[in-house]
Each structure stands twice: as structure tokens, then as C-alpha cells.
Amino acid sequence: MIKRLLAGAAAIGAIGGLGFLYYAWYPPIEPVEPPDRGSFSAEQIERGRIVAAEGYCAECHTRTDNGGGPELAGDYKMDTPFGAIYSSNITPDPETGIGNWSEEAFQRAMHLGVSRKGVHLIPAFPFDHFTKMTDQDVSDLYAYLMTRPAVHMTRRPNELPFPLSLRLLQAGWKLLYFTPGVYKPDPRHDALWNRGAYLSEGNAHCGACHTPRDFMGAEKKSAPYDGAVVDNWIAPPLNEHNPTPTTWTEDELFQYLRFGVAPLHGPAGGPMSPVPHRFLSTVPEEDVHAIAHYFADVDHAAEREKHDKAALARAMEQSKIDLVGPTVDPDAKLYQGACAACHYNAAPSPVLGRPDLALNNALWLDEPTNLYQVILHGLTAEEGQTGVAMPSFYNALSDQDMARIAAYLRRTRTTLPPWTDLEKKAAAVRKTITTIPVNSSH
Ligand code: HEC
Ligand code: HEC
Ligand code: HEC
């Protein structure tokens, strides 16, 4: 009996294996002559520019270490929990880029995560989002990329350990986690909402940073937009779990995504900064409105907004305490000396360019990570609100100083329990910084 059962299991295993290979196998698509620039209309290329901006292609496909590299020529280093991955050259160079890819091959890569040669691509390339793009958008994107300057450049090899280095394994990942298919409009919602959902879930892949991942590196479908760690920053929750005391309303979201600063919540720092500045400020305003409209629904802004007035009044009250003159509290003194010259506010609301820390995510998240990142890096004039800057305190404050400021701000500016292990965490964030910021004060 047992033998028969085992034989049955082996047979099923073999069939499963064959089925898997069938599932996993994709033929190469024949190379083509790089298409003639004249074969694309100026209108289509412009539409493709917008699609490329809304998917931040240049962010991941342009090298930033090793002195930087030409736009879209790849070799951008992505640190993942599994090892470093380098992006591909997506300029139309036929040898090292995608110059000899037909549009069919490009459509397949974007929709199914398979290269022209039939090789499975690693989901660090967010094809699990790009699959939702319409064929028309991908076609326009192709026109845009094929008319960029061709750059001859080879990327460094990935540093994934065996067996993760086996491309075939990616097919197993796909079988478990990947749902291919173009976005389907939800008839319960209007056109603006659907446009926002199409962009956010698809091309603009907000969830790639804002949704937590499981041990296999897949976004947790059970916790969409619940917040996640990315590049040693916390990408805060974008749903009703967002902890900031005032709501991310449609207008706050629009200002933040379009201009990089929201009147109440402050600037977009760290890995979020390029999203508005480099990309969403360059696309049609309606698209940014659509994304803001969509997330105001995801975070139930309409129901939560009614508490904002009280929250704002409380924050303004809390921010006043550092202005009332001499204090015996040594932590308050430290804050007054280092921060209060810029971070003070009076009723009725914060001044643009002088974020109210009592309203900023940095104090309300479960960990002080973003607060430490901002203190250590500062914010350049290009990040956040264009033109205003915060110096880096990398040299000026010790880990112990940062821990004291963090504890003080959490205590006086929020209603949440204190953070723990603050000094240890300050040292850990400092360790992630490999080059001392140039705007560092002494
Ligand atoms: C979050 C980072 C990221 C973003 C954003 C991104 N890519 Fe990529 N892309 C990658 C990585 C990493 C690879 C290499 C994957 C691999 O080696 O399997 C890649 C591979 C590709 C490939 C396969 C190229 C080849 O030679 O096999 C294409 C095509 C591509 N990306 C196009 C795009 C386009 C178009 C956009 C914008 C809509 C985009 N990517 C945005 C990270 C990204
Ligand atoms: C590359 C990763 C990345 C991508 C892509 C990304 N975000 Fe972010 N986002 C972050 C990080 C990190 C922060 C924290 C920045 C800070 O505190 O200054 C953030 C902050 C935010 C905030 C402020 C939250 C708060 O409570 O302060 C909003 C709103 C937001 N992102 C919306 C979006 C939307 C909408 C998209 C897609 C259009 C998106 N993000 C795409 C990484 C990302
Ligand atoms: C010289 C003025 C100045 C000083 C001093 C200063 N800041 Fe800032 N800070 C700013 C400005 C300006 C911004 C907004 C920058 C922008 O919009 O690009 C900012 C932004 C911030 C943010 C929001 C970051 C984000 O991504 O949302 C935090 C948190 C912060 N500062 C904390 C501090 C702390 C803590 C100190 C003291 C250690 C401090 N700042 C000292 C000017 C200053």
C-alpha cells in the first residue's frame, strides 16, 4: 500500500515537474534591426516619455555609484536582502541594450517578466506591477526608449547566491506569487478613481515600496500599503494605518506627489524624493490628481478628516513649548540648540518650508529610522520643497545626542509610547551611510 502511495507521489511529482518546465519555458524572440526613429510619431514618443516618467524607469536604470552613468544605460545597483542586483541597459544599443528587441519582445518583458532570449527576469524589476499596463502604454514606452541615445555599456553581474542565481527558480516564484494581466477597471468606481488605481497599482508601483514583503520577497497581498522598509528608510503605511495625526487628504497627497511637499505633513525625503521631483512633476497634472484621488480612498480620508482640526491645534500647542524661553530640561535645551531655530511654529498652522515635527511621519512611526535618516542626511535644496534645505548633523550630533532628541520629540510631540534602544538604533542608521553628506554642519 505504502509503496503504491509512494509510486503515486513520484508520478505526480514527475508530471508536476514536467508541467512546471512547460510553464517555465519561453522561446527566445528573434532579434530585429533597431527600428528607425522615423517610424514613431512625435506624439507617440511624447506619450511614451510620460509613461516612462510614471514608472521611474530612469531611477532604476541609471547607475548612481561608481561616479554615475548615462541615463537608462543600466548597471544601477539594488541592494536586496538576497544580494546585490544590477539593472539592465534599456537604451537602444543592439549589443548591450535592447536595440534588437522587437516590440513583441518588449511587451512580453513588461507583461510577463521574460527577456527577449526567454530568460526569467528577477522581480526587482517590478513586472508584477508593469503587467497591469495596457498594450498601448507599453507600445508608447517602446517608442520612447527606442528613440533615446544608444549607449554601449555592460552591467556588472548580479551577486545572488546559489541557488537564487538560477533563473529557472524565478519561474517558481512567479507560479506562487505572480498574477499576470492588464488592469481591469472597477465598475463600482468612477473614471478618475480607476485612472488613479491603474497608475498606482501598475506603472507607478507605489506598493513596491509601501507594501511589506514576505520572506520570499513578494508583496503581502493581505497587507496592501501597510508600510515597509526600503533602502534603510521606512515607507509609511498609505492606508488607514498611516500614523500621522492629520489625514492624508486628496489635496495633501496631490501637493506632496506633485511638488514634493505637503502643507501639513512636510517634505518627501529619502527614496521618496525622486518620485515627485524627478518624475510626477513632469507628467500631466490630471494623472497626479488621479493618484491622489485613489489614495484618499485607500486611506479613508473622508471618514478621518473630521479629527484633523483638533489634531492640528494639539500639534501647534506642542510646538510652542520650545519657544517659551529658558528651560531646565537638558533634552529640551539640546533640541533648542540644534533644531528649534528652524522647527518652531505658532497657530494656526505650520509654515511651508518649516515642517512641524509634531505632524511629520518621522515621530509617529514605530521606529525612529526616518527621523535619524533626516538628521544624519539633512535635506538638500532639491529634495522636499524646492529651494529650502536642512543641514546634515552627521558630524555635529553624536548617537547619544540623536537618541536624546528622538526621545524628547517623541515624548513632547506625540501621544505614543516611547521608542526603545534609541542609541543603538542611531548607530545602526549611521552605519548605513557610506559617504558623509556634503552639507554636513560642524
Ligand atoms: C525598482 C527598480 C526598477 C524600475 C523602477 C524599473 N526597472 Fe527595469 N529592471 C530592473 C532590474 C533590476 C532589471 C534586471 C532584472 C534581471 O536581471 O532579471 C530590469 C530589467 C528590465 C528589462 C529587461 C532587460 C533585459 O535586457 O533583459 C526591461 C526591458 C526593463 N527593465 C524595462 C523597464 C522599464 C521600461 C521601466 C519603466 C517603466 C523599468 N524597467 C523600471 C529594475 C527596475
Ligand atoms: C522607491 C520607493 C518608493 C516609491 C516607489 C514610492 N514611495 Fe512613497 N515613500 C517612500 C519613502 C521611503 C517615504 C518616506 C519619506 C519621508 O519620510 O520623507 C515615502 C513617503 C510617502 C508618503 C508620505 C507618508 C507620510 O506619512 O509621511 C506618501 C503619501 C507616499 N510616499 C505616497 C506614495 C505614492 C502615492 C507612490 C506611488 C505614486 C509612492 N509613494 C511611491 C518610498 C517610496
Ligand atoms: C537650518 C534650519 C534647520 C535646522 C537647524 C533643522 N532643520 Fe529640520 N528641516 C529644515 C527644513 C527647511 C526642512 C524641510 C526641507 C524641505 O522641505 O526640503 C526640514 C525638515 C525636517 C524633517 C522632515 C523630513 C521629512 O522627510 O519629512 C524632520 C523630521 C526634521 N527636519 C528634523 C530636524 C531635527 C530633529 C533637527 C535638529 C537636530 C532639525 N531638523 C534641524 C530645516 C532645519
Side-chain angles (χ1 to χ4, degrees):
M1 186 62 191
I2 289 193
K3 249 190 181 162
R4 250 179 58 203
L5 273 181
L6 282 179
I12 291 166
I15 293 166
L18 280 176
F20 177 73
L21 282 180
Y22 176 74
Y23 169 85
W25 188 78
Y26 283 91
I29 294 177
E30 283 303 306
V32 295
E33 280 298 309
D36 184 32
R37 299 176 145 263
S39 59
F40 306 105
S41 72
E43 292 76 30
Q44 189 180 23
I45 295 170
E46 169 58 13
R47 286 201 308 269
R49 179 193 69 75
I50 294 165
V51 179
E54 288 171 346
Y56 334 124
C57 315
E59 188 67 17
C60 283
H61 283 279
T62 307
R63 187 173 66 207
T64 51
D65 65 339
N66 266 356
E71 186 146 298
L72 298 172
D75 199 38
Y76 171 76
K77 182 179 184 191
M78 286 179 82
D79 285 311
T80 76
F82 309 106
I85 294 174
Y86 298 89
S87 67
S88 335
N89 182 341
I90 54 170
T91 72
D93 180 58
E95 267 169 55
T96 60
I98 57 170
N100 62 11
W101 287 37
S102 60
E103 188 187 318
E104 183 198 354
F106 185 69
Q107 290 274 0
R108 185 175 74 173
M110 298 302 285
H111 283 139
L112 297 177
V114 176
S115 81
R116 183 187 69 72
K117 289 186 176 153
V119 171
H120 286 283
L121 295 164
I122 301 165
F125 166 47
F127 62 79
D128 50 337
H129 291 275
F130 295 155
T131 188
K132 298 197 162 68
M133 292 164 75
T134 60
D135 291 0
Q136 183 63 53
D137 272 358
V138 176
S139 182
D140 294 346
L141 188 53
Y142 181 75
Y144 174 73
L145 291 174
M146 287 301 167
T147 51
R148 296 309 93 204
V151 179
H152 193 87
M153 197 173 100
T154 316
R155 65 166 153 173
R156 288 162 279 181
N158 289 339
E159 289 156 27
L160 293 179
F162 184 83
L164 289 181
S165 51
L166 290 178
R167 290 280 177 170
L168 194 64
L169 270 194
Q170 300 303 331
W173 188 93
K174 283 179 173 168
L175 194 59
L176 292 172
Y177 297 109
F178 176 50
T179 319
V182 172
Y183 176 78
K184 285 198 195 65
D186 183 339
R188 291 168 306 175
H189 294 280
D190 62 13
L192 187 65
W193 188 98
N194 272 298
R195 176 72 183 156
Y198 168 72
L199 290 169
S200 310
E201 306 289 329
N203 197 9
H205 60 274
C206 315
C209 290
H210 286 275
T211 297
R213 292 176 187 269
D214 66 12
F215 71 104
M216 288 281 284
E219 288 172 35
K220 287 187 184 156
K221 293 215 164 72
S222 59
Y225 304 115
D226 229 3
V229 173
V230 46
D231 286 347
N232 305 304
W233 281 73
I234 297 171
L238 297 181
N239 54 22
E240 69 279 12
H241 297 142
N242 183 282
T244 59
T246 57
T247 314
W248 280 99
T249 58
E250 187 165 335
D251 189 54
E252 282 280 294
L253 284 159
F254 174 76
Q255 303 283 335
Y256 188 84
L257 295 170
R258 181 70 173 181
F259 306 111
V261 62
L264 296 180
H265 292 87
M272 186 62 198
S273 178
V275 174
H277 287 294
R278 195 170 175 195
F279 301 106
L280 295 187
S281 53
T282 71
V283 307
E285 202 173 285
E286 308 89 81
D287 279 354
V288 187
H289 273 301
I291 297 173
H293 184 72
Y294 175 65
F295 277 104
D297 183 38
V298 167
D299 75 8
H300 305 298
E303 291 139 54
R304 300 160 75 219
E305 224 178 321
K306 56 180 180 286
H307 306 294
D308 281 7
K309 240 173 129 179
L312 183 59
R314 194 178 56 232
M316 291 302 112
E317 195 53 37
Q318 288 164 327
S319 297
K320 250 179 23 198
I321 43 184
D322 307 296
L323 297 172
V324 291
T327 168
V328 287
D329 178 347
D331 295 347
K333 271 197 178 135
L334 186 58
Y335 175 78
Q336 279 185 340
C339 321
C342 301
H343 293 290
Y344 64 92
N345 278 298
S349 49
V351 175
L352 214 61
R354 194 200 295 155
D356 199 283
L357 301 186
L359 296 171
N360 190 269
N361 77 53
L363 299 188
W364 292 85
L365 292 165
D366 290 343
E367 297 293 339
T369 316
N370 288 6
L371 179 63
Y372 286 155
Q373 286 285 12
V374 175
I375 296 176
L376 288 166
H377 277 284
L379 281 152
T380 65
E382 290 80 44
E383 295 166 322
Q385 189 189 358
T386 313
V388 298
M390 166 168 156
S392 149
F393 290 85
Y394 188 92
N395 291 320
L397 295 175
S398 68
D399 294 341
Q400 198 197 17
D401 294 338
M402 293 206 303
R404 282 173 55 201
I405 290 174
Y408 168 74
L409 285 172
R410 179 87 164 178
R411 176 157 49 81
T412 57
R413 300 294 198 277
T414 78
T415 48
L416 299 175
W419 283 313
T420 55
D421 294 325
L422 278 171
E423 206 175 321
K424 220 169 84 190
K425 287 172 187 165
V429 175
R430 190 188 290 272
K431 250 175 79 189
T432 66
I433 298 178
T434 44
T435 41
I436 299 175
V438 285
N439 56 343
S440 192
S441 64
H442 295 275

